[in-house]
Amino acid sequence: MAELGKKYCVYCLAEVSSLRFRCTECADIELCPDCFSAGAEIGPHRRWHGYQLVDGGRFTLWGAEAEGGWSSREEQLLLDAIEQFGFGNWEDMAAHVGASRTPQEVMEHYVSMYIHGNLGKACIPDSIPNRVTDHTCPSGGPLSPSLTTPLPPLDISVAEQQQLGYMPLRDDYEIEYDQDAETLISGLSVNYDDDDVEIELKRAHVDMYVRKLKERQRRKNIARDYNLVPAFLGKDKKDKEKAPKRKITKEEKELRLKLRPLYQFMSCKEFEDFFENMHKERVLRAKIRELQRYRRNGITKMEESAEYEAARHKREKRKENKNIANSKRGKEDGKDGEFAAIENLPGFELLSDREKVLCSSLNLSPARYVTVKTIIIKDHLQKRQGIPSKSRLPSYLDKVLKKRILNFLTESGWISRDAS
């Protein structure tokens, strides 16, 4: 009775109980997989006739040595699930295949057989042709495609987060760059009756929105790279005090301010390296000039340079001391010669230094100058009080002397300019 339940190929008489191909146009024509693939024909059956796969679901596609013993029925359910649920939804795919398979088994079997196996190697090329490669900048640079990579949240307190309007879990701000960028896609919807022009227009809107998102993220990266947020909160000053660096000259500070627009094209490390290299260049140029000076003075060894510098320093120090002594001696001699004509006259000790210079230049005795000064100031006070007065200046005072003295008293603040 067991022999009666078996099925045999009508061409080679091999047993085909597990898997056979039945012709849908001829009666009682069932072939084994080998005869069907060879195109066997018998009686009225022809190779182009329609066929039906009669399968008990027990044979394996990958042979008995394949891992897990997946049957053809499970393989078919797996391919249906990958088409229905998509790659990566392993839980739904495992439920579709059957309760006997876990999501981990489904993932490992599909990856090993259909991607890394012979089927995947035959269908997936090693190098995808016509792939667009970004040559603008290496990954992580200011212009690279990795601009949309999320950054870790800022390490700031809750009060500072509220001050900035910062949401750390989303790494967003309440007011972002180009705040109305979302209006480009907020009203978009995909309809089945859209023509090609409408579809392209909607794609253009999405592309514009993506560009705005990239620009927004690029600005965040610049602010994060150059520590602009801690600088705004005043934290960068403490960090600068902790990390001692070389002293920045005034010229370098001005150059940094002029080159600030380059921040958007250079990372912070590149920018600092740029100025560090400029500093090294200046140091090297100064060293080269120093070595050239040694060579002009006949020094060919570094051991001789120390002795030369010590002698040069002593020589310059002696010259400086000599100049200071000469200048002091010249000032004393100049003062004695300048006031020699009037220093022994009465009233000399009542004059200030400027008045002494004035009397010496006008060749006017101190007593006469004091007299003229008293008369002019007295007349000025009477005029301010509204008292009519007629000034009587000494006869030895001509117009030139009078004008010089009036100008001096005006500049010194003794009388106002109206009175002069």
mmCIF file of all heavy atoms in Angstrom, residues 246-258 275 279 282:
data_model
loop_
_atom_site.group_PDB
_atom_site.id
_atom_site.type_symbol
_atom_site.label_atom_id
_atom_site.label_comp_id
_atom_site.label_asym_id
_atom_site.label_seq_id
_atom_site.Cartn_x
_atom_site.Cartn_y
_atom_site.Cartn_z
ATOM 1 N N ARG A 246 50.604 80.562 23.532
ATOM 2 C CA ARG A 246 51.552 81.627 23.231
ATOM 3 C C ARG A 246 50.815 82.960 23.153
ATOM 4 O O ARG A 246 49.618 83.029 22.837
ATOM 5 C CB ARG A 246 52.254 81.341 21.902
ATOM 6 C CG ARG A 246 51.317 81.291 20.695
ATOM 7 C CD ARG A 246 52.109 81.067 19.422
ATOM 8 N NE ARG A 246 51.227 81.039 18.273
ATOM 9 C CZ ARG A 246 50.791 82.108 17.627
ATOM 10 N NH1 ARG A 246 51.161 83.325 18.054
ATOM 11 N NH2 ARG A 246 49.985 82.002 16.590
ATOM 12 N N LYS A 247 51.537 84.027 23.430
ATOM 13 C CA LYS A 247 50.955 85.363 23.426
ATOM 14 C C LYS A 247 50.677 85.804 21.995
ATOM 15 O O LYS A 247 51.555 85.731 21.125
ATOM 16 C CB LYS A 247 51.909 86.334 24.117
ATOM 17 C CG LYS A 247 51.314 87.727 24.304
ATOM 18 C CD LYS A 247 52.287 88.622 25.051
ATOM 19 C CE LYS A 247 51.692 90.023 25.251
ATOM 20 N NZ LYS A 247 52.645 90.898 25.978
ATOM 21 N N ILE A 248 49.460 86.260 21.752
ATOM 22 C CA ILE A 248 49.053 86.692 20.413
ATOM 23 C C ILE A 248 49.327 88.184 20.280
ATOM 24 O O ILE A 248 48.906 88.985 21.120
ATOM 25 C CB ILE A 248 47.566 86.391 20.177
ATOM 26 C CG1 ILE A 248 47.312 84.885 20.283
ATOM 27 C CG2 ILE A 248 47.127 86.883 18.805
ATOM 28 C CD1 ILE A 248 45.869 84.493 20.143
ATOM 29 N N THR A 249 50.033 88.555 19.234
ATOM 30 C CA THR A 249 50.378 89.962 19.020
ATOM 31 C C THR A 249 49.181 90.743 18.518
ATOM 32 O O THR A 249 48.163 90.173 18.093
ATOM 33 C CB THR A 249 51.523 90.066 18.012
ATOM 34 O OG1 THR A 249 51.092 89.483 16.752
ATOM 35 C CG2 THR A 249 52.746 89.307 18.500
ATOM 36 N N LYS A 250 49.303 92.059 18.556
ATOM 37 C CA LYS A 250 48.230 92.932 18.100
ATOM 38 C C LYS A 250 47.983 92.765 16.604
ATOM 39 O O LYS A 250 46.832 92.746 16.146
ATOM 40 C CB LYS A 250 48.585 94.392 18.419
ATOM 41 C CG LYS A 250 47.516 95.393 18.010
ATOM 42 C CD LYS A 250 47.938 96.813 18.350
ATOM 43 C CE LYS A 250 46.872 97.816 17.912
ATOM 44 N NZ LYS A 250 47.294 99.212 18.196
ATOM 45 N N GLU A 251 49.066 92.618 15.820
ATOM 46 C CA GLU A 251 48.909 92.427 14.379
ATOM 47 C C GLU A 251 48.168 91.127 14.063
ATOM 48 O O GLU A 251 47.316 91.086 13.172
ATOM 49 C CB GLU A 251 50.284 92.419 13.703
ATOM 50 C CG GLU A 251 51.027 93.753 13.737
ATOM 51 C CD GLU A 251 51.646 94.033 15.095
ATOM 52 O OE1 GLU A 251 51.655 93.094 15.926
ATOM 53 O OE2 GLU A 251 52.110 95.163 15.314
ATOM 54 N N GLU A 252 48.461 90.066 14.819
ATOM 55 C CA GLU A 252 47.779 88.793 14.583
ATOM 56 C C GLU A 252 46.302 88.887 14.946
ATOM 57 O O GLU A 252 45.446 88.309 14.268
ATOM 58 C CB GLU A 252 48.458 87.687 15.377
ATOM 59 C CG GLU A 252 47.876 86.315 15.118
ATOM 60 C CD GLU A 252 48.640 85.216 15.813
ATOM 61 O OE1 GLU A 252 49.818 85.454 16.159
ATOM 62 O OE2 GLU A 252 48.067 84.129 16.006
ATOM 63 N N LYS A 253 45.976 89.621 16.022
ATOM 64 C CA LYS A 253 44.564 89.795 16.380
ATOM 65 C C LYS A 253 43.811 90.519 15.269
ATOM 66 O O LYS A 253 42.679 90.139 14.916
ATOM 67 C CB LYS A 253 44.452 90.586 17.686
ATOM 68 C CG LYS A 253 44.900 89.817 18.918
ATOM 69 C CD LYS A 253 44.734 90.655 20.180
ATOM 70 C CE LYS A 253 45.177 89.885 21.417
ATOM 71 N NZ LYS A 253 45.038 90.689 22.643
ATOM 72 N N GLU A 254 44.426 91.571 14.713
ATOM 73 C CA GLU A 254 43.769 92.299 13.616
ATOM 74 C C GLU A 254 43.609 91.400 12.393
ATOM 75 O O GLU A 254 42.575 91.442 11.720
ATOM 76 C CB GLU A 254 44.603 93.529 13.265
ATOM 77 C CG GLU A 254 44.644 94.583 14.376
ATOM 78 C CD GLU A 254 45.537 95.755 14.032
ATOM 79 O OE1 GLU A 254 46.208 95.691 12.979
ATOM 80 O OE2 GLU A 254 45.572 96.735 14.810
ATOM 81 N N LEU A 255 44.610 90.564 12.105
ATOM 82 C CA LEU A 255 44.510 89.660 10.961
ATOM 83 C C LEU A 255 43.437 88.606 11.187
ATOM 84 O O LEU A 255 42.709 88.223 10.250
ATOM 85 C CB LEU A 255 45.868 88.993 10.730
ATOM 86 C CG LEU A 255 45.980 88.090 9.489
ATOM 87 C CD1 LEU A 255 45.668 88.886 8.229
ATOM 88 C CD2 LEU A 255 47.361 87.477 9.403
ATOM 89 N N ARG A 256 43.298 88.123 12.416
ATOM 90 C CA ARG A 256 42.232 87.151 12.713
ATOM 91 C C ARG A 256 40.859 87.757 12.472
ATOM 92 O O ARG A 256 39.950 87.081 11.961
ATOM 93 C CB ARG A 256 42.349 86.674 14.160
ATOM 94 C CG ARG A 256 43.453 85.659 14.409
ATOM 95 C CD ARG A 256 43.585 85.341 15.885
ATOM 96 N NE ARG A 256 44.616 84.359 16.143
ATOM 97 C CZ ARG A 256 44.406 83.048 16.268
ATOM 98 N NH1 ARG A 256 43.173 82.586 16.159
ATOM 99 N NH2 ARG A 256 45.398 82.225 16.502
ATOM 100 N N LEU A 257 40.686 89.024 12.857
ATOM 101 C CA LEU A 257 39.395 89.679 12.627
ATOM 102 C C LEU A 257 39.110 89.829 11.139
ATOM 103 O O LEU A 257 37.969 89.661 10.696
ATOM 104 C CB LEU A 257 39.387 91.054 13.308
ATOM 105 C CG LEU A 257 39.373 91.046 14.845
ATOM 106 C CD1 LEU A 257 39.456 92.472 15.372
ATOM 107 C CD2 LEU A 257 38.122 90.357 15.378
ATOM 108 N N LYS A 258 40.146 90.128 10.351
ATOM 109 C CA LYS A 258 39.945 90.290 8.913
ATOM 110 C C LYS A 258 39.615 88.962 8.231
ATOM 111 O O LYS A 258 38.884 88.941 7.246
ATOM 112 C CB LYS A 258 41.199 90.895 8.281
ATOM 113 C CG LYS A 258 41.464 92.341 8.675
ATOM 114 C CD LYS A 258 42.728 92.864 8.019
ATOM 115 C CE LYS A 258 43.003 94.309 8.435
ATOM 116 N NZ LYS A 258 44.261 94.821 7.828
ATOM 117 N N PHE A 275 47.472 79.970 11.543
ATOM 118 C CA PHE A 275 48.148 81.042 12.270
ATOM 119 C C PHE A 275 49.399 80.530 12.990
ATOM 120 O O PHE A 275 50.378 81.268 13.137
ATOM 121 C CB PHE A 275 47.188 81.687 13.267
ATOM 122 C CG PHE A 275 46.254 82.669 12.633
ATOM 123 C CD1 PHE A 275 44.955 82.315 12.312
ATOM 124 C CD2 PHE A 275 46.668 83.952 12.330
ATOM 125 C CE1 PHE A 275 44.100 83.214 11.714
ATOM 126 C CE2 PHE A 275 45.817 84.858 11.739
ATOM 127 C CZ PHE A 275 44.528 84.490 11.428
ATOM 128 N N HIS A 279 53.129 82.022 12.512
ATOM 129 C CA HIS A 279 54.017 82.386 13.615
ATOM 130 C C HIS A 279 55.377 81.699 13.463
ATOM 131 O O HIS A 279 56.435 82.322 13.663
ATOM 132 C CB HIS A 279 53.369 82.003 14.943
ATOM 133 C CG HIS A 279 54.252 82.195 16.134
ATOM 134 N ND1 HIS A 279 54.641 83.442 16.599
ATOM 135 C CD2 HIS A 279 54.862 81.291 16.958
ATOM 136 C CE1 HIS A 279 55.423 83.299 17.641
ATOM 137 N NE2 HIS A 279 55.579 82.009 17.879
ATOM 138 N N ARG A 282 57.401 83.547 10.856
ATOM 139 C CA ARG A 282 58.027 84.773 11.350
ATOM 140 C C ARG A 282 59.255 84.463 12.205
ATOM 141 O O ARG A 282 60.288 85.144 12.114
ATOM 142 C CB ARG A 282 57.013 85.594 12.143
ATOM 143 C CG ARG A 282 55.955 86.262 11.294
ATOM 144 C CD ARG A 282 55.212 87.323 12.096
ATOM 145 N NE ARG A 282 54.479 86.735 13.204
ATOM 146 C CZ ARG A 282 53.225 86.319 13.128
ATOM 147 N NH1 ARG A 282 52.561 86.444 11.980
ATOM 148 N NH2 ARG A 282 52.614 85.798 14.172
#
